Amino acid sequence: MSNSEHDSKIEQVAKLIIQDNFPLDEQDSQKLQKYHDFVKTKFHMEGDSAIELVNEAFLYLKLINAKDVDPLQDGDKFGAGFS
């Protein structure tokens, strides 16, 4: 999968999260199941790949909504492994 395809998938999941007005810090796996199911159905992804894509969508939304944050300096606040 190319980077643009991957980014497009992240954006589609992010749009769904925004439409649902879903809290970006939610950790309950049962509540997150809707997004995992969406990825499995829409993109035919399973297991860890589906979970990672959903997590990336949440990270993406957190980063674009953050004010005055440098992802390279403050990425660890969002669970990103930037160094």
Side-chain angles (χ1 to χ4, degrees):
M1 168 179 10
S2 72
N3 282 341
S4 62
E5 287 177 276
H6 186 73
D7 292 348
S8 174
K9 290 176 182 180
I10 290 171
E11 288 177 0
Q12 289 179 53
V13 176
K15 285 180 186 177
L16 181 60
I17 293 166
I18 291 169
Q19 286 175 351
D20 291 345
N21 199 28
F22 198 80
L24 298 182
D25 58 350
E26 182 62 60
Q27 297 294 315
D28 186 341
S29 61
Q30 289 180 335
K31 293 180 181 177
L32 295 170
Q33 189 62 44
K34 172 183 180 177
Y35 304 107
H36 296 146
D37 291 342
F38 173 79
V39 168
K40 289 176 186 177
T41 303
K42 178 91 175 170
F43 306 125
H44 308 288
M45 298 174 75
E46 295 290 330
D48 289 342
S49 297
I51 292 169
E52 286 178 22
L53 189 72
V54 171
N55 290 343
E56 287 182 60
F58 277 96
L59 176 60
Y60 168 74
L61 289 171
K62 286 179 183 181
L63 288 173
I64 64 170
N65 289 320
K67 293 182 173 101
D68 300 323
V69 173
D70 178 359
L72 294 177
Q73 296 296 320
D74 301 318
D76 58 330
K77 293 178 185 175
F78 299 100
F82 303 127
S83 59

